[in-house]
Every structure is written in C-alpha cells, then in structure tokens.
C-alpha cells in the first residue's frame, strides 16, 4: 500500500509558522536511493511529500531550517 503526501507530526503546542515552510530533504528511505522532502504547515503539522509505501523504512536526520522572508512564528 502506498499513501500520498503524509502528515507525520502535529505539534499540539509551541511555535508555528505563519505560512507553509519547505523543509527540503529531511530523511532518506533505507535501501533506496532517494530522500523524502517535507513541509512545515501553518497548523503546526509536518507533511512528507510524495508519501510512503508499506515497506519503506524512513530514516530522519537533523535539519537546520532557513526561515523564508515573510514567515513569522506565533
């Protein structure tokens, strides 16, 4: 089974961006030569772009996030 864009985190508290921030490559899929891109959404959720398959093992890594112009954190 494969799912499309997949919301993987929803922060219930803490700062949230005023608009969606592209996070770039945030993880790789074990055994496959491609990475996973993500977005940090204004509701505090983080969405993996392109989804995941049932046998995918997603290995996340730490990330420094550049903040785009016009984005505020509330």
């Amino acid at each position: 089974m494969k799912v499309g864009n997949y919301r993987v985190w929803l922060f219930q508290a803490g700062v949230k961006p005023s608009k969606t921030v592209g996070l770039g490559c945030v993880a790789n899929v074990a055994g496959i030569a491609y990475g996973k891109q993500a977005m940090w959404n204004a509701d505090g959720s983080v969405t993996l772009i392109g989804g995941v398959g049932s046998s995918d093992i997603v290995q996340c890594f730490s990330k420094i996030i550049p903040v785009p112009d016009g984005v505020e954190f509330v």
Side-chain angles (χ1 to χ4, degrees), residues 1-72:
M1 180 178 147
K2 180 165 174 75
V3 295
N5 291 353
Y6 185 72
R7 189 168 81 171
V8 290
W9 294 282
L10 176 57
F11 297 103
Q12 297 296 323
V15 297
K16 297 177 177 124
S18 59
K19 60 184 178 181
T20 298
V21 175
L23 299 178
C25 190
V26 297
N28 68 337
V29 177
I32 302 173
Y34 69 89
K36 299 306 292 179
Q37 304 277 319
M39 300 177 300
W40 186 8
N41 304 301
D43 68 355
S45 66
V46 174
T47 302
L48 283 178
I49 300 170
V52 292
S54 60
S55 62
D56 287 347
I57 299 171
V58 179
Q59 300 168 316
C60 298
F61 42 84
S62 61
K63 178 81 174 162
I64 295 172
I65 305 167
V67 178
D69 288 341
V71 173
E72 297 177 357

